[in-house]
Amino acid sequence: MYDEDGKPPKHPRGAGAARRILRTRVALGAAVVLAAVNPLTLSGSAQALAPAAPVALSASQQVQWKTDTVAPGVQVRTGVIQNKGVTPVWTITLQAPAVNRLTGAATWAPLGDRTWADTAERQLRAAGFEPRVERVVWDEYADTPRGTMGWQVRVGSYATQAEAQSANQAVAAGGFRTAVEWTGYDGRQLADRESIHVAVIDPTRFRGTVASTHDGNVADRETTSSVAVKNGSLLAVNGGFFITSNADGVQGTVAGIAAYDGELESMAAGSRAALILADGGRHPRIADLSTTVTARAKSSTYAVQGINRLPGKVRNCGRPGGAPTELARHDTTCSLPDDLVKFTPRFGAALPQGAGTQVVLDSKDRVVSAGPRGGTVPAGGSVLQGIGGAADWLTAHGRQGERIPVREVIRDSAGRQVELGAHDSIVSAAPTLVKNGRIAIDAATEGTLDPLDLSFGFAWSNVRQPRTMAGIDGHGRLLLVTVDGRQPGVSEGFTLGEAARFMRSLGAKQALNLDGGGSSAMVVGGKLVNITSDATGERAVGDTVQILPARRG
C-alpha cells in the first residue's frame, strides 16, 4: 500500500549531472519543510501562540495555517504546504532480486546495486523500452552509511495510474518484476501538497489530563475518534504499534511497551522510543525504554518475556531468545520456543489456548489454580502462561497456595529506572526523530530499516507515508502532529527524514515517530479532522493519546 519514485529529468545530462540534480532535490526537500513551518515557531511557555497568517514562500511554494484554540493551553494548527511547480507522475519501477538477510528467503527490493541497475537498463532497451536509472542516497539517519543507498530503474512518466498500469503490462510481460508508483511519494523530490495538523499542549496552562489509553481492554481495537467521543476528549491522536492479524498474535494488543494508569500492560520490543506522560501529562518526556520482568517462586526465578500477548510470538521482535533475531525488527513476528507471558485484568478477551500450562494468581500473587491454558483473567488477579521451558517451570513451581510475585523494571537508555505512578502512562513506537534538539533518527537501531538488506524497510522509512509524531519543545510543551499521505494531489506524507526535520522546525527538543499509515488520525472535539488513508475509512487501532478536560467538582 505504498508508492515512491523520483521525478525523471526531462533532459538527461549524464551521471554526474544526475547526481547534482538529485542532491539539489534532497536539499530543497529539507529546506522547504523547514521554511514552510517558520510561521509555526512556538512562543514562550506562558504565552498563547500567535495566529499564523498565510505565508507565500516563493512564486511556487505556499503555506497556509489556520489556528484554533481548543481549550486554554491547547491549540491546533492546520496547515497545507503546496509546491505549485511540482508535477508528480505515475511510473513503473523495476524490483531487484534480493535475499532476506534473516531468513535467507528469496524476495524483492525496490532498488539494487549499480551492476543490477545497468544490466536491467540494457535488457529493457533491448526489449524496446526507454528506462532511466536513478541514484538513491541514504537519508539523514544517525546509524546508517552515507552516500549511495542503491539504484532504481524506472520506465515511463504517466498522468494517471491507469495509463501506468496499462503500460506496465508490456514491461511485466518481458519478464521483469515491476511496481506502479507515484513519484510524489519519493523523498527525492518536493511533494506537491502536504496536509498537516499540529496540536500544542502547554502543561503550564492546560488544567486537564494527557494520557495514553487502551480504553480498558488491551485485546481490542477501536478508532481514535470513538475512544475520544466515549471519553469526552478535547483532542486525540492514535498511539503505538499494535497487532493487526491473528497470524501475529491477539489483534489490538500493543507491539511494544505500553502503560496505562501506572500499570505496565505490554513489554518493550528491544530498546525503542517511547513517550512518557508523567503526572497526567504535566511532565512529558521521550526516551528509549527497555523492560525486564521476572517471576519468582521462592528462590527460583524465570524471565517473563511478554505481557498480554500470545505466547511464542513477539511482534516487532526485540526479546532475548527470539528467532530469527533478538533485535528489534519492525513488522516482523519472531518466535520464542520457551516463553513466559503475564496476563493482566485489562486483557479482556479469552486467554490463548494451546500447548503449555498456566497458573492463575490472586491479588496477592498466590496460585489459585494451575492447569491447561485458557479461560479469562480474574478481576484483581493475573495469569501466567508458559510454553516450552517456561511451562516446565510453572509446572514445578505453580502449586496452589504458593506465591509467584512478578517484578517489573523499566529503564531508559541511560540505565535510569522509570518508576510509574498512578497517573503515568507510556505509549511507544519507533524510531526516535529528534534528540537534544538535533535530528537523531536511529532507524537501523530501532529496526525500521536494515542497511544490509534493501528489501526491508525502504518503503516504511524512505518513502512518504501518513505519519503521527510526538515531540516536546524547549518549554516542556507537548507537540502531537499528523501528516496525511498516500493521497496523490491531496497529501503525500513524510519520509522519516522529513518528519524529523519538521518536528525540529517546530522547536522540538525531543521527538519520536508514532504509528502511521492508515492508523494516523487526529480528532478534535470528537471529530476526525485529518483525512485517513485507508479506503474503508478511519482504522480501528490499539492505544491512543487522549487530551481530557479537567474534571469538575
Side-chain angles (χ1 to χ4, degrees), residues 60-313:
S60 61
Q61 302 165 4
Q62 289 188 342
V63 185
Q64 295 181 334
W65 293 104
K66 176 187 175 184
T67 303
D68 292 310
T69 298
V70 178
V74 180
Q75 285 194 347
V76 176
R77 295 198 171 178
T78 302
V80 177
I81 300 175
Q82 291 182 290
N83 294 283
K84 292 187 175 180
V86 176
T87 54
V89 296
W90 291 93
T91 194
I92 301 165
T93 303
L94 264 63
Q95 305 293 291
V99 175
N100 184 295
R101 186 173 68 85
L102 296 184
T103 66
T107 186
W108 300 90
L111 70 169
D113 61 22
R114 189 59 194 259
T115 300
W116 165 80
D118 289 345
T119 300
E121 181 185 24
R122 288 194 298 270
Q123 292 173 339
L124 284 164
R125 291 194 186 282
F129 300 104
E130 295 185 7
R132 62 190 183 275
V133 177
E134 297 179 4
R135 177 174 175 250
V136 181
V137 299
W138 289 98
D139 208 333
E140 199 171 351
Y141 301 119
D143 53 2
T144 65
R146 296 288 185 263
T148 302
M149 186 180 193
W151 301 83
Q152 290 191 317
V153 179
R154 296 187 169 94
V155 177
S157 300
Y158 306 94
T160 67
Q161 185 177 17
E163 289 178 272
Q165 289 173 335
S166 178
N168 184 48
Q169 295 178 7
V171 180
F176 301 100
R177 175 87 172 202
T178 60
V180 172
E181 300 178 334
W182 172 252
T183 64
Y185 298 151
D186 187 345
R188 301 192 301 279
Q189 71 166 60
L190 298 179
D192 60 343
R193 199 170 187 273
E194 302 281 30
S195 179
I196 303 168
H197 290 84
V198 179
V200 183
I201 299 95
D202 184 349
T204 66
R205 302 180 65 239
F206 178 52
R207 298 299 176 229
T209 301
V210 183
S212 173
T213 178
H214 216 307
D215 205 37
N217 182 5
V218 299
D220 191 19
R221 295 175 61 179
E222 292 188 76
T223 62
T224 303
S225 60
S226 66
V227 177
V229 169
K230 191 184 306 182
N231 288 275
S233 301
L234 298 169
L235 184 144
V237 297
N238 63 291
F241 304 130
F242 62 97
I243 307 298
T244 62
S245 168
N246 293 337
D248 300 313
V250 179
Q251 287 199 36
T253 54
V254 174
I257 187 172
Y260 318 115
D261 300 319
E263 298 293 334
L264 186 65
E265 301 291 348
S266 182
M267 290 180 66
S271 179
R272 291 181 117 186
L275 172 64
I276 305 164
L277 297 166
D279 193 21
R282 287 173 178 79
H283 300 97
R285 71 184 183 100
I286 290 171
D288 291 347
L289 298 182
S290 60
T291 48
T292 302
V293 179
T294 307
R296 176 179 292 275
K298 294 184 178 179
S299 62
S300 181
T301 62
Y302 205 97
V304 175
Q305 297 288 11
I307 297 177
N308 294 324
R309 67 160 173 79
L310 181 67
K313 291 189 176 184

